[in-house]
């Protein structure tokens, strides 16, 4: 009975080691061990934070004020 249990434990350890190596090569594992961080999704920018939108808005107001006749 003891030899059988020893064979089962050694077999389980080998299977665990093989799957651990496969997972490690794929880049899996805990996030604490990773050296690079995953890419962040692009941040949604509201119109009041978008500099290009504000610049375009400012141009439109200037054109509208220039086209307006003086009263």
């Amino acid at each position: 009975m003891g030899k059988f249990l020893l064979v089962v434990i050694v077999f389980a350890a080998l299977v665990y080691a093989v799957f651990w190596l496969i997972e490690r090569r794929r880049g899996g594992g805990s996030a604490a061990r990773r050296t690079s961080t995953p890419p962040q999704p692009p941040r949604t920018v509201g119109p009041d934070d978008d500099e290009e939108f504000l610049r375009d808005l400012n141009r439109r107001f200037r054109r509208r004020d220039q086209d307006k006749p003086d009263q």
Side-chain angles (χ1 to χ4, degrees):
M1 179 71 178
K3 287 183 182 180
F4 177 73
L5 188 59
L6 183 62
V7 169
V8 169
I9 290 173
V10 169
F11 180 74
L14 286 173
V15 169
Y16 174 77
V18 167
F19 280 105
W20 180 76
L21 286 172
I22 291 171
E23 186 67 22
R24 190 169 174 196
R25 281 186 186 249
R26 274 195 328 175
S30 70
R33 283 189 269 164
R34 292 185 185 157
T35 57
S36 63
T37 58
Q40 298 294 327
R43 187 175 71 106
T44 305
V45 178
D48 58 341
D49 292 341
D50 188 3
E51 301 219 2
E52 186 177 336
F53 173 78
L54 293 174
R55 228 177 280 124
D56 186 48
L57 197 59
N58 197 11
R59 283 187 205 125
R60 287 181 191 176
F61 281 133
R62 277 195 237 141
R63 279 192 205 133
R64 190 183 71 186
D65 288 344
Q66 287 175 356
D67 292 343
K68 214 183 229 184
D70 291 332
Q71 293 178 354

